[in-house]
Amino acid sequence: DIVINTSCEHVTQEQYNQWLSNQPDDAVIVLQSNNYFEHEEHIRCSIDLNDFTKMSGITPFYRGSMETPKYERFMIIGKKK
């Protein structure tokens, strides 16, 4: 299984933790977020890629980021801890 969540910044940490706990233990998890704090619907942004990794609750085998004109986009691919 591959589970993809491209909008981690739109849920609380509690909601995210519940979502992650419902994912299969052996699934590959793909996560994206950003540091665009100015958007009113972004309630769980990360300061940087390290912060996003700590918040994710997964052990990554890939981490990356992409600069955009307004913010930095983060991606982590890994497995549940």
Side-chain angles (χ1 to χ4, degrees):
D1 293 324
I2 298 176
V3 180
I4 301 170
N5 182 336
T6 62
S7 56
C8 292
E9 69 275 10
H10 289 272
V11 297
T12 66
Q13 187 66 45
E14 183 179 331
Q15 290 169 322
Y16 173 82
N17 291 343
Q18 180 64 43
W19 171 83
L20 185 62
S21 72
N22 289 325
Q23 304 312 313
D25 289 336
D26 61 343
V28 172
I29 308 289
V30 180
L31 303 173
Q32 289 186 337
S33 189
N34 60 59
N35 62 356
Y36 189 40
F37 291 92
E38 291 79 21
H39 194 293
E40 65 183 50
E41 293 178 13
H42 288 185
I43 58 175
R44 188 179 157 264
C45 289
S46 301
I47 297 168
D48 56 26
L49 185 57
N50 289 331
D51 186 41
F52 182 46
T53 302
K54 289 176 190 172
M55 295 169 75
S56 73
I58 68 171
T59 302
F61 51 79
Y62 171 83
R63 296 175 353 123
S65 62
M66 181 180 76
E67 288 287 333
T68 74
K70 290 187 177 184
Y71 58 88
E72 190 173 5
R73 188 88 175 142
F74 311 120
M75 179 186 282
I76 303 170
I77 303 172
K79 296 258 186 166
K80 288 170 52 172
K81 290 182 179 177

